[in-house]
Amino acid sequence: MGSANAGFMQPNGKVWYLEHNFDRLYEYTPGSGVSTQIGTLPNHDYSGAERYKGTNYVMLGLNPGGVGRWVLGSIDGNGVYSQLRDIDLHNFNGQTGLTVAAPVPEPGTLIAGAVGLVGLALRRRRPKA
């Protein structure tokens, strides 16, 4: 059946898993030893999957010609994939992963921090001459 990337449980107790060699979605019935193809996926190298609040979410490292994008998608109850968001660069051969971004505080937090620092500076005791 190729190589599985990610799997996640369905409410019916079956496991859906993504396979990257042939870009397919399979369903496995635990204890049966049988997997059934239920859908196809875009050409990808890596994947992650999770079922959250009734929705099947997948993250795929797309691979058109070795250079692509990390994309977030969903798979409906019939096994049909839909892309939701383009996330970041994915270059399998160059091992480029997700870009790490430093968090930027909201303006209110920056102002509160600045006011606090000014207050500390004003309260600082000065040595007596």
Side-chain angles (χ1 to χ4, degrees), residues 9 12-17 26-36:
M9 292 293 294
N12 63 4
K14 296 184 179 186
V15 178
W16 283 13
Y17 66 92
Y26 288 93
E27 179 178 81
Y28 172 72
T29 303
S32 71
V34 176
S35 292
T36 305

Side-chain angles (χ1 to χ4, degrees), residues 67-90:
V67 178
R69 305 291 296 174
W70 284 106
V71 297
L72 176 66
S74 66
I75 299 175
D76 70 16
N78 296 314
V80 177
Y81 170 83
S82 298
Q83 184 173 315
L84 300 173
R85 298 280 187 278
D86 182 294
I87 304 297
D88 202 351
L89 175 68
H90 167 60

Side-chain angles (χ1 to χ4, degrees), residues 26-101:
Y26 288 93
E27 179 178 81
Y28 172 72
T29 303
S32 71
V34 176
S35 292
T36 305
Q37 181 181 342
I38 57 173
T40 59
L41 301 165
N43 182 12
H44 67 284
D45 295 317
Y46 297 105
S47 64
E50 182 174 349
R51 184 172 176 82
Y52 180 71
K53 293 188 178 182
T55 302
N56 303 309
Y57 292 102
V58 295
M59 178 76 87
L60 300 176
L62 298 184
N63 181 25
V67 178
R69 305 291 296 174
W70 284 106
V71 297
L72 176 66
S74 66
I75 299 175
D76 70 16
N78 296 314
V80 177
Y81 170 83
S82 298
Q83 184 173 315
L84 300 173
R85 298 280 187 278
D86 182 294
I87 304 297
D88 202 351
L89 175 68
H90 167 60
N91 182 339
F92 175 68
N93 296 324
Q95 301 299 314
T96 301
L98 295 176
T99 301
V100 178

Side-chain angles (χ1 to χ4, degrees), residues 104-116:
V104 178
E106 62 185 53
T109 303
L110 288 173
I111 292 170
V115 168

